[in-house]
Amino acid sequence: MSKILFVLNGPNLNALGKREPGIYGGKTLADIEADCTAAGAELGFSVDFRQTNHEGVLVDWLHEAGEKSVGVAINAGAYTHTSIALHDAIRAIGVPVVEVHISNIHAREEFRHKSVIAPATKGMICGFGPHSYILALHALKNITQ
Ligand code: CA2
């Protein structure tokens, strides 16, 4: 049976492909899920892909990932910039977490430059559009070998 990777998505990512294509591209979250499922299978992983608009649900899913998965890719959306609860949850679990962003957060508004979860993660991939997710899966393959 394949090892499981969780790919977790935070607030407003369910709107991808419907607005702001100039920043986030034209793919929907369902398109990104299909790409992650296919790339994960090639890397030998089963991908559990989820989205929520609620901070506490992301905390619960991180804890679940700590029990059921070998690693996590997370795009925490705007909670990236605010959530000490997510920082603590990432620290609390024993599996590696890779932070993902579609846009280059450092090239945008100043309030997006700081990620409060980044110090708790193995690393961050940002700025490559939806391909950032695929790069994160490759990073997780590399660090979970
Ligand atoms: O670049 C990323 O992946 C972000 O995590 C996306 C978040 C943003 O708050 C972060 O700073 C960077 C936004 C999620 C999607 O928001 C949308 C807004 C309008 C239309 C479609 C999506």
Side-chain angles (χ1 to χ4, degrees):
M1 214 170 67
S2 313
K3 293 174 179 172
I4 297 171
L5 289 181
F6 274 31
V7 180
L8 303 180
N9 294 278
N12 299 308
L13 286 156
N14 52 318
L16 283 179
K18 296 162 193 160
R19 283 168 211 254
E20 307 230 53
I23 297 175
Y24 299 116
K27 284 196 176 186
T28 65
L29 199 61
D31 295 331
I32 294 173
E33 176 174 6
D35 291 348
C36 285
T37 299
E42 278 185 24
L43 295 169
F45 294 115
S46 171
V47 170
D48 190 333
F49 191 99
R50 305 179 186 186
Q51 188 273 333
T52 178
N53 291 323
H54 303 280
E55 184 177 14
V57 174
L58 285 172
V59 171
D60 288 343
W61 285 351
L62 282 164
H63 285 279
E64 186 182 342
E67 302 298 319
K68 296 184 181 167
S69 79
V70 297
V72 179
I74 184 168
N75 185 346
Y79 291 138
T80 300
H81 315 295
T82 62
S83 179
I84 308 303
L86 288 181
H87 174 112
D88 289 346
I90 292 166
R91 280 212 190 284
I93 66 174
V95 296
V97 176
V98 174
E99 179 177 352
V100 177
H101 298 287
I102 297 167
S103 63
N104 179 352
I105 59 173
H106 304 290
R108 300 185 60 193
E109 304 98 320
E110 194 163 350
F111 63 82
R112 296 187 202 275
H113 293 183
K114 183 166 177 66
S115 166
V116 301
I117 68 170
T121 67
K122 291 294 284 186
M124 178 204 288
I125 296 167
C126 76
F128 297 96
H131 191 62
S132 293
Y133 286 82
I134 307 304
L135 294 173
L137 297 183
H138 281 267
L140 284 162
K141 172 77 176 176
N142 185 258
I143 61 182
T144 59
Q145 287 291 349

